[in-house]
Amino acid sequence: MAFETEPDDTNKSNKARLFEINTEDITEHSRNNKIRQYCCTVCEKRFARKWDMKTHKRTHTGEKPFACTVCDKRFTRKVGLNEHKRIHTECSRYPCSKCEKSFASRDSLRIHQYIHTSKYKCKECGKYYGSNTRLTIHKQIHSGEKPFGCSVCGKRFARAEHLMVHIKVHSEDKPYKCHMCEQMFRWSEALKSHMRVHTGDKPYKCSLCNKCFRLQGHLQIHKRQVHSNIRPYLCTHCGKTFATDSSMKRHVLIHTGAKPYSCSHCSERFRQIIQLKDHLLKSHDGGTWFTCHICQKKCSRDSNLKAHIRRHEVVKPYVCSECPKRFYTAGELKDHLLSH
C-alpha cells in the first residue's frame, strides 16, 4: 500500500535553487543576445549580427549587388530580389483583406495596409507611415527643416545620422589606403567605391539609355538631369531651376562673381574646378590629353573624348521621353526637350 507523505523541504529547496539558476541563465542568455557589438563606421548605428551591419552599410554606399535578370532593377538584399522576381513570374499572391488589391510581396502588402490601419498620414502628400517617428522624418521633406547643425562649419541636416557622417569630413583621420594610387579615405566604403576607378567597374545601369555608372547616386543624378524635366532647385537671383543642388550652386557663382579656384602658376581664377583643370592642361601642360584613336583629335576631358567617339560610331544613347528622337550628348537632349 502506498502512503502519501509531506514533501521533503530539502527537495523543495533544491528545486527552488534549480529554478533560480535556470532563470538567471535564461535572463543572462537573453541579455547576451541583445548585445549589439557590430558598429557601422559611417553613422555608428549598432547591430547584434555582423551580416546585418554589412547589409546596413549599403545604405551609405548605394551598393545593390543583387540584380534582376529580367529588368536590371537592383537590390541591397537577396530577399528583396526574390520578392521582386514574383512580379515577372507570378500573379499577385498577397491579397489585401480590406480591399480588392493584391501584391507580389509581403512587404508591398504591409506598406499598402498602412492606408487601412495607420493613423499616421502626411497631410501634404497623403502617404501613410507605420509610426509617428517615420512620419515626422518624412515631413521634413516638405518643410525643409534641418534641426541638426554641424558645430564646425554650420551645415545643417534633416537627420542625426547624416550629421554624424558629415562630421567625419572635418577629421584628419583617413585609415583606408588604396594600394594602387595610395589615395587615403575616411571610410572603407569610400575606398571600395574608389577602386572602381581602377577596375572600370560600373554596376549601375540606366534603364533608359544603358549608360553605366560607378555609384548609384550618379545614376540617380543622370536620370534627373537627362531623362526628367523635374528641376526642384531654384536660383533666388533669377528664378532659373536646376535638377541638382550642385548645379544650382555653380550657377549662383555667375551672379555673385565668385571664382574660388585659382591657378598656382599664374593669376587666373575660375568658377569651377573643371575650368581650372582645363586651364592647367592647355596653358601649363599640367595634366593628360585624351586622344581619339580614330582621328587623333585631342580632348581635355575623358567625357569629351567619349562624346566625340560616339559621333564616329554614330551612337546616340540619349533618347527623348516625348518623341523617338535620339542624341549624341545629354546637352543636345536638354536643348531638344525645350521644344516640347
Side-chain angles (χ1 to χ4, degrees):
M1 177 179 288
F3 296 90
E4 289 185 4
T5 60
E6 289 290 324
D8 189 291
D9 288 341
T10 304
N11 289 339
K12 286 175 66 178
S13 177
N14 287 339
K15 286 180 180 178
R17 280 197 298 270
L18 180 61
F19 180 77
E20 289 173 2
I21 292 171
N22 285 344
T23 302
E24 289 173 359
D25 286 347
I26 291 169
T27 303
E28 186 65 29
H29 178 70
S30 176
R31 190 181 297 119
N32 286 338
N33 276 347
K34 293 182 180 179
I35 292 175
R36 299 185 176 186
Q37 59 180 315
Y38 300 103
C39 180
C40 173
T41 56
V42 181
C43 69
E44 298 183 5
K45 188 173 182 180
R46 305 190 72 88
F47 299 87
R49 298 186 303 176
K50 190 174 183 179
W51 174 250
D52 291 337
M53 185 264 290
K54 285 184 175 180
T55 302
H56 159 80
K57 281 189 173 182
R58 293 174 185 151
T59 62
H60 300 299
T61 63
E63 181 186 6
K64 294 187 176 181
F66 303 102
C68 174
T69 56
V70 180
C71 67
D72 289 331
K73 189 172 183 179
R74 304 187 72 92
F75 299 85
T76 56
R77 300 173 62 193
K78 191 172 184 179
V79 65
L81 171 61
N82 289 339
E83 289 196 348
H84 164 79
K85 282 181 176 179
R86 296 192 186 116
I87 295 172
H88 303 297
T89 60
E90 300 178 11
C91 296
S92 299
R93 56 185 289 191
Y94 298 100
C96 175
S97 59
K98 304 289 185 179
C99 66
E100 296 179 355
K101 287 189 175 181
S102 295
F103 298 87
S105 70
R106 289 190 183 92
D107 279 347
S108 299
L109 172 60
R110 177 179 56 80
I111 293 169
H112 161 77
Q113 285 178 331
Y114 288 149
I115 295 173
H116 304 298
T117 61
S118 177
K119 61 182 180 181
Y120 305 109
K121 179 183 178 181
C122 176
K123 294 179 181 179
E124 297 289 335
C125 65
K127 283 188 176 180
Y128 286 85
Y129 290 86
S131 68
N132 189 47
T133 302
R134 291 183 178 275
L135 175 60
T136 302
I137 292 171
H138 163 78
K139 281 182 177 178
Q140 292 169 354
I141 295 172
H142 302 298
S143 66
E145 181 186 3
K146 296 182 178 181
F148 303 99
C150 175
S151 59
V152 180
C153 68
K155 189 172 183 180
R156 305 193 68 81
F157 300 86
R159 300 177 65 174
E161 54 264 38
H162 295 167
L163 171 60
M164 294 173 72
V165 172
H166 163 79
I167 285 174
K168 293 190 178 182
V169 170
H170 302 296
S171 170
E172 296 299 323
D173 185 27
K174 294 183 179 181
Y176 302 100
K177 182 178 179 180
C178 174
H179 66 277
M180 298 186 73
C181 68
E182 300 190 351
Q183 190 171 341
M184 307 291 290
F185 298 89
R186 292 183 179 88
W187 305 292
S188 60
E189 289 75 18
L191 172 58
K192 289 177 183 177
S193 297
H194 163 78
M195 289 304 298
R196 296 180 188 143
V197 173
H198 301 296
T199 62
D201 184 27
K202 294 183 178 181
Y204 302 102
K205 183 178 180 181
C206 176
S207 58
L208 298 173
C209 68
N210 294 328
K211 189 172 183 179
C212 295
F213 299 86
R214 285 191 295 113
L215 301 175
Q216 187 190 31
H218 293 171
L219 171 59
Q220 291 172 343
I221 291 171
H222 161 79
K223 283 185 174 180
R224 194 189 303 164
Q225 287 181 321
V226 178
H227 303 296
S228 170
N229 289 323
I230 297 174
R231 299 286 187 271
Y233 300 96
L234 174 72
C235 172
T236 56
H237 294 273
C238 67
K240 190 174 182 180
T241 55
F242 297 86
T244 65
D245 183 47
S246 58
S247 299
M248 185 269 288
K249 287 178 178 177
R250 284 196 300 270
H251 163 80
V252 167
L253 296 176
I254 296 172
H255 299 293
T256 63
K259 295 183 177 181
Y261 302 101
S262 60
C263 177
S264 58
H265 300 282
C266 66
S267 59
E268 289 283 342
R269 300 186 67 88
F270 303 90
R271 282 196 297 269
Q272 299 179 33
I273 192 169
I274 193 67
Q275 294 172 333
L276 172 59
K277 289 180 178 180
D278 285 350
H279 166 76
L280 289 170
L281 181 62
K282 295 173 181 177
S283 301
H284 303 292
D285 199 28
T288 304
W289 289 97
F290 298 92
T291 305
C292 174
H293 66 280
I294 299 172
C295 68
Q296 305 306 309
K297 181 178 179 178
K298 293 183 181 294
C299 300
S300 59
R301 306 177 197 175
D302 182 43
S303 57
N304 291 347
L305 174 61
K306 288 177 179 176
H308 167 77
I309 290 175
R310 284 199 292 267
R311 296 184 186 277
H312 284 299
E313 298 175 345
V314 197
V315 174
K316 297 181 179 181
Y318 298 95
V319 186
C320 178
S321 57
E322 305 292 332
C323 70
K325 285 190 176 181
R326 305 178 70 95
F327 300 89
Y328 290 112
T329 67
E332 291 174 354
L333 174 58
K334 285 181 188 176
D335 292 340
H336 167 77
L337 284 170
L338 296 175
S339 65
H340 294 292

